[in-house]
């Protein structure tokens, strides 16, 4: 076992939460309309601009990232969206568009692959126009990192009136993302992954032109109405009752990220990924994703003829929690979430505990 009092989470979310942040979460409640909390809301939004690297409104809401998928469609897609589908969560966003009554087109590739800029260019020219293109930056189900900067550049070039929407749930604060510089219109993420907080809040940034689009679309709903959320948070008032302690924990975590430096935080995630890559090679495991498109925050590794359930059990016996493959990849892959406040040293300790796995084990069904 580790020296910790609980199993250390190396899941691709939720992730391990630092003791200081857990202590903040246990604070006595205060009123969400109190003067102190109003000031905190304003401060958090300013700090989020630094996280997204934007001068555009940066916001938070008391909801899941899936709720932001719905909100993105309701706010920004009057008619038709294009989804780049390469795994379970990019597929979910397409389903969200359909559920919201929109015409949802897609470029679909195999799980573990990414849609290339050339594929996107061809689709926009052949089948456009679209109101928005929906991109999943780090596909948590596969560990594939889409080239958002290049994809956004294609949209700007070929279809400049089309908005660029990005699901950065398992990327924000762990992989490079520059909202203004890359010309993005919406980026959102939950707090339970690279931000290393409990689930419960969604953070997002919205461009001015996206807000202008949203203001003209009826039926946006009450929660996560982007123009109204901007107005409310600018006054320090949340649109609905928030998880107050989690907002204070988010504020502190954003301070910690600023102290670390966002680029240094990106590099730490890349360094952790590099350690996992070296270990996988030594143990003769194969990645699901080719090297140039692997996420620095989550690795999906093929079972390579071994029993994933046994590997996860071995991790647990050493005081760690790993993730099985997601959806149709359950048992075929396992996932290591090297994200949030984990360190290279912590990842090494995990992998040392897994190093004794025999390569001649037979594969047992993990789907039973």
């Amino acid at each position: 076992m580790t020296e910790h009092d609980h199993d250390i989470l190396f899941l691709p979310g939720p992730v391990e939460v630092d003791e200081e942040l857990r202590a903040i979460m246990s604070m006595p409640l205060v009123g969400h309309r109190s003067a102190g909390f109003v000031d905190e809301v304003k401060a958090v939004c300013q700090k989020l601009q630094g996280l997204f690297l934007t001068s555009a409104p940066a916001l938070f809401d008391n909801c899941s990232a899936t709720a932001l998928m719905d909100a993105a469609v309701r706010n920004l897609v009057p008619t038709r969206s294009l989804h780049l589908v390469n795994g379970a969560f990019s597929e979910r966003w397409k389903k969200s568009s359909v559920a919201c009554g929109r015409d949802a087109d897609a470029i679909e590739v195999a799980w573990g692959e990414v849609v290339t800029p050339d594929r996107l260019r061809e689709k926009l020219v052949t089948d456009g126009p679209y109101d928005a293109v929906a991109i999943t930056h780090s596909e948590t189900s596969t560990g594939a990192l889409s080239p958002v900067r290049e994809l956004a550049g294609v949209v700007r070039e070929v279809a400049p009136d089309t908005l660029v929407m990005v699901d950065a749930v398992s990327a924000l604060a762990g992989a490079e993302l520059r909202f203004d510089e890359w010309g993005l219109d919406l980026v959102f993420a939950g707090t339970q992954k690279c931000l290393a907080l409990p689930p419960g809040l969604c953070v997002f940034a919205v461009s001015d032109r996206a807000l202008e689009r949203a203001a003209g679309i009826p039926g946006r709903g009450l929660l996560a109405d982007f123009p109204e959320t901007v107005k409310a948070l600018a006054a320090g008032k949340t649109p609905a009752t928030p998880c107050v302690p989690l907002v204070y924990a988010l504020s502190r975590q954003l301070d910690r990220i600023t102290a670390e430096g966002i680029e240094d935080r990106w590099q730490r995630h890349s360094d952790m990924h590099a350690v996992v890559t070296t270990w996988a090679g030594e143990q003769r495991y194969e990645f699901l994703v080719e090297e140039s498109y692997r996420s620095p925050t989550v690795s999906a590794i093929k079972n390579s003829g071994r029993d994933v359930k046994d590997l996860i059990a071995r991790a647990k016996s050493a005081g760690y929690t790993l993730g099985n493959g997601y959806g149709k990849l359950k048992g075929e892959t396992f996932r290591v979430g090297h994200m949030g406040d984990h360190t290279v040293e912590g990842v090494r300790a995990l992998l040392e505990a897994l190093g004794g796995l025999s390569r001649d084990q037979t594969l047992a069904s993990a789907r039973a």
Side-chain angles (χ1 to χ4, degrees), residues 301-324:
I301 303 173
K302 295 180 181 179
N303 60 37
S304 302
R306 284 161 276 186
D307 185 351
V308 168
K309 289 193 294 185
D310 182 77
L311 176 65
I312 292 172
R314 285 171 179 262
K316 187 169 183 60
S317 69
Y320 300 101
T321 301
L322 290 180
N324 206 323

Side-chain angles (χ1 to χ4, degrees), residues 305-307 358-364:
R306 284 161 276 186
D307 185 351
S358 170
R359 289 201 303 271
D360 61 1
Q361 285 180 278
T362 58
L363 177 64

Side-chain angles (χ1 to χ4, degrees), residues 57-87:
L59 316 163
F60 68 90
D61 217 329
N62 203 70
C63 63
S64 67
T66 301
L68 251 289
M69 288 182 177
D70 288 350
V73 176
R74 293 197 313 266
N75 280 266
L76 303 179
V77 182
T79 305
R80 192 170 186 239
S81 56
L82 175 63
H83 296 259
L84 310 190
V85 177
N86 65 331

Side-chain angles (χ1 to χ4, degrees), residues 108-121:
E108 300 192 29
V109 297
W111 285 31
E113 298 180 4
V114 300
V115 175
T116 64
D118 286 344
R119 279 287 299 275
L120 177 58
R121 181 189 304 275

Side-chain angles (χ1 to χ4, degrees), residues 243-256:
C243 179
V244 170
L246 184 50
V247 175
Y248 279 106
L250 172 61
S251 183
R252 176 59 185 140
Q253 181 68 313
L254 291 171
D255 289 339
R256 289 159 46 124

Side-chain angles (χ1 to χ4, degrees), residues 30 37 81 100 125 141 166 183 208 233-234 250 291 296 315 337 358-359:
V30 300
F37 190 70
S81 56
C100 289
V125 170
S141 63
V166 178
D208 289 338
L233 293 186
L250 172 61
E291 185 172 2
S358 170
R359 289 201 303 271

